[in-house]
Amino acid sequence: MSPASRRSAGLPLAAAPSRTRPGFPVRLAGLGAPAPAVQAASLPAGPLAAALPGSRSLVPMPSGLGLDSSAVRQAMVARLAAQGLSEPAALQALAAVERHRFVDSALVNQAYEDTSLPIGLGQTISKPSVVARMLELLLQGRSRPLGRVLEIGTGCGYQSALLARLAREVYSLERLRALHEQARDKLRPWRLHNVHLILGDGMLGYPKGAPYDAIISAAGGESVPQAWLDQLALGGRLVAPVALVPGRQTLVVIDRTEQGCVQTVLEAVHFVPLKSGLA
Ligand code: SAH
């Protein structure tokens, strides 16, 4: 990381988060009680595993991508690596998850280009290099795998599917019912028992799953909601777009340390706005 600025954020610290696991399974809107947690490494083979040797995709490939979308993904990952993205686990996840299944059929041919694409209701799926960058930031320097992760902005569910491979439990909040339902339908065939999709206002976080090792937002406001800081575990990291200067979003990393929250401001980004309430 080459921070443009790094300083103690002086952010108000909440009471030290409890390390105690909340009762599981928790009740989650839309999905009912989740199935018991499984390690990302032992996820059942399915379409997500289609890129892995010896695995088969049970879902037919969409037309326009050819028979081997895994090769197209490998090429995308090679381009990301050439751009300097180097976190192996993040790149492996990007190589495995079939992005074309999360976009509109008319856009399938652009699914592996480094571009954001519309997913309906004025929202977009982030471009792969930005997704890779944020996942890299979450994973960087960790001595242990990610435990519980909070994702703000499920959108089409693509990043949730990536996180499923990188974290023990993923809690993903979406405020737009239609997108929440669409993501639930898209993810259903994968049977990702460690992904919990929740219809809710992400600005409030999701206390039931807290504390989180990582919080990642795909929507940006003018500041980081206090609830996110409160729900970040000690040693945890938050990555989000924030418009610290009105109209100019930058990627912000906040590490929660024994000494308080440390904020690092990184490069300029363009994400959809973080909005409150459900719609
Ligand atoms: N990672 C997503 C990106 C979706 S775009 C993907 O892979 O598709 C960001 C999403 O954040 C949008 O769907 C938007 O509706 C959602 N969003 C914005 N504000 C939110 C809030 N307060 N709570 C939950 N979701 C929010």
Side-chain angles (χ1 to χ4, degrees):
M1 178 188 333
S2 53
S5 75
R6 189 170 172 84
R7 64 187 171 86
S8 179
L11 296 160
L13 254 192
S18 154
R19 276 280 178 194
T20 329
R21 245 179 103 82
F24 276 94
V26 289
R27 275 190 75 78
L28 299 170
L31 278 186
V38 291
Q39 292 293 329
S42 63
L43 287 173
L48 275 187
L52 304 175
S55 65
R56 282 194 317 129
S57 170
L58 302 176
V59 184
M61 287 294 174
S63 58
L65 261 186
L67 282 178
D68 189 7
S69 77
S70 134
V72 186
R73 273 191 305 286
Q74 294 292 350
M76 175 186 79
V77 166
R79 288 193 300 275
L80 295 176
Q83 284 176 38
L85 292 153
S86 60
E87 179 60 46
L91 292 177
Q92 275 165 24
L94 280 144
V97 175
E98 299 175 308
R99 191 171 185 258
H100 65 267
R101 298 197 189 281
F102 293 87
V103 301
D104 191 272
S105 55
L107 300 169
V108 155
N109 286 332
Q110 295 174 61
Y112 297 106
E113 290 172 16
D114 195 22
T115 180
S116 55
L117 294 169
I119 54 171
L121 301 178
Q123 309 303 317
T124 52
I125 178 174
S126 309
K127 58 181 185 175
S129 57
V130 171
V131 174
R133 170 75 167 140
M134 292 178 85
L135 295 178
E136 182 163 286
L137 287 167
L138 287 190
L139 295 167
Q140 233 168 30
R142 283 194 68 82
S143 53
R144 304 178 285 120
L146 287 170
R148 291 196 294 276
V149 173
L150 176 66
E151 178 186 40
I152 315 296
T154 312
C156 66
Y158 172 66
Q159 187 176 269
S160 319
L162 293 168
L163 287 168
R165 304 180 74 89
L166 302 170
R168 186 159 41 79
E169 298 288 336
V170 180
Y171 296 85
S172 183
L173 289 159
E174 174 56 56
R175 64 179 289 274
L176 299 177
R177 183 180 295 275
L179 287 182
H180 162 75
E181 288 174 356
Q182 197 178 297
R184 195 183 53 196
D185 292 345
K186 292 239 187 243
L187 289 172
R188 188 171 287 123
W190 276 266
R191 296 166 188 257
L192 301 174
H193 297 304
N194 62 336
V195 175
H196 313 300
L197 301 182
I198 302 141
L199 176 67
D201 181 355
M203 289 181 82
L204 308 174
Y206 189 67
K208 281 190 198 164
Y212 298 101
D213 275 351
I215 298 180
I216 180 168
S217 177
E222 288 178 2
S223 60
V224 172
Q226 181 62 40
W228 300 0
L229 302 176
D230 295 346
Q231 293 170 27
L232 191 61
L234 194 58
R237 174 170 274 195
L238 181 158
V239 181
V242 186
L244 295 169
V245 175
R248 263 204 281 154
Q249 266 183 357
T250 45
L251 211 50
V252 165
V253 169
I254 294 179
D255 288 306
R256 184 162 185 167
T257 71
E258 299 270 10
Q259 290 74 40
C261 286
V262 178
Q263 175 176 283
T264 307
V265 180
L266 300 168
E267 66 270 20
V269 283
H270 299 283
F271 280 82
V272 297
L274 182 70
K275 293 188 177 171
S276 60
L278 303 186

